[in-house]
Amino acid sequence: GGSGRGVGDGGDAGDTNGVFSETPVEMETWDWSKCERYCRTCRIWRPPRAAHCRDCGWCVIRFDHHCGALGNCVGRDNHRWFVLCLCSVSGLVVVLAVESVAALRDANWPRAKNSFSDPIVVTLLACVIVYGSCACLSCFAISHVYLWLCDVTTKEVLRPRRGCEPRSADADIEAGPGAERWRRLCGGLDVGEHG
């Protein structure tokens, strides 16, 4: 009855003989990344890890980033294809750079006389410089493969939520089986709940 107990018949944790204790009960830390949040722009409840893209004007599930080069958002439904595109372009650039260097070597550059007046040599030199600088894309591709395998988005790494620890890719790599991660990256079109 009216004994002053907390909610329920058995009292609450910290309740001693019908009297509340003076020490506060330790509360569990709330993880906002697992909560739905309301988007005022789209007027919808966003699922966990979704975010509103200011460039596209809509919410994206498992938002990674907005890619200005491709002109769209990278999220749950297309992150795998984005990583595949990065890896393909990176591989192509590396092959073109190696082939350009080989063609320069075949043209006996720089030992040939008037090598800078030959338009083919100048073109090949330009290719080596351009492809060499574009090879930096390989580092970007490798980092996205790593993030994808760890199930961590670029946004979660670069902008952790206030009051929360940044999502650690290293901890996630140790947490689960590698085969499932590769299946998510290279598997069929049905990506299931992991996105």
Side-chain angles (χ1 to χ4, degrees), residues 106-127:
D106 292 345
N108 202 20
W109 182 82
R111 294 183 195 112
K113 290 184 180 184
N114 300 324
S115 61
F116 285 106
S117 63
D118 185 3
I120 293 175
V121 170
V122 172
T123 303
L124 287 172
L125 279 173
C127 288

Side-chain angles (χ1 to χ4, degrees), residues 141-163:
I142 291 168
S143 70
H144 265 277
V145 168
Y146 179 71
L147 290 175
W148 177 261
L149 293 175
C150 296
D151 195 25
V152 178
T153 65
T154 303
K155 182 181 179 188
E156 291 167 344
V157 170
L158 297 179
R159 295 185 197 165
R161 294 217 161 275
R162 282 176 278 183

Side-chain angles (χ1 to χ4, degrees), residues 49 62-65 74-75 79-80 82-83 86-87 138-159 166-174 180-182 184-185 194-195:
R49 301 178 76 190
R62 198 183 166 277
F63 180 79
D64 189 81
H65 70 283
V74 176
H79 199 183
R80 173 188 313 162
F82 176 74
V83 170
L86 284 178
C87 292
S138 300
C139 297
F140 189 59
I142 291 168
S143 70
H144 265 277
V145 168
Y146 179 71
L147 290 175
W148 177 261
L149 293 175
C150 296
D151 195 25
V152 178
T153 65
T154 303
K155 182 181 179 188
E156 291 167 344
V157 170
L158 297 179
R159 295 185 197 165
R167 201 171 151 102
S168 169
D170 294 329
D172 286 348
I173 255 305
E174 297 167 5
E180 174 60 27
R181 297 177 193 291
W182 282 109
R184 278 187 37 237
L185 183 62
H194 294 291

Side-chain angles (χ1 to χ4, degrees), residues 25-31 34:
V25 176
E26 189 175 319
M27 293 184 67
E28 204 175 301
T29 306
W30 192 259
D31 185 2
K34 295 179 181 168

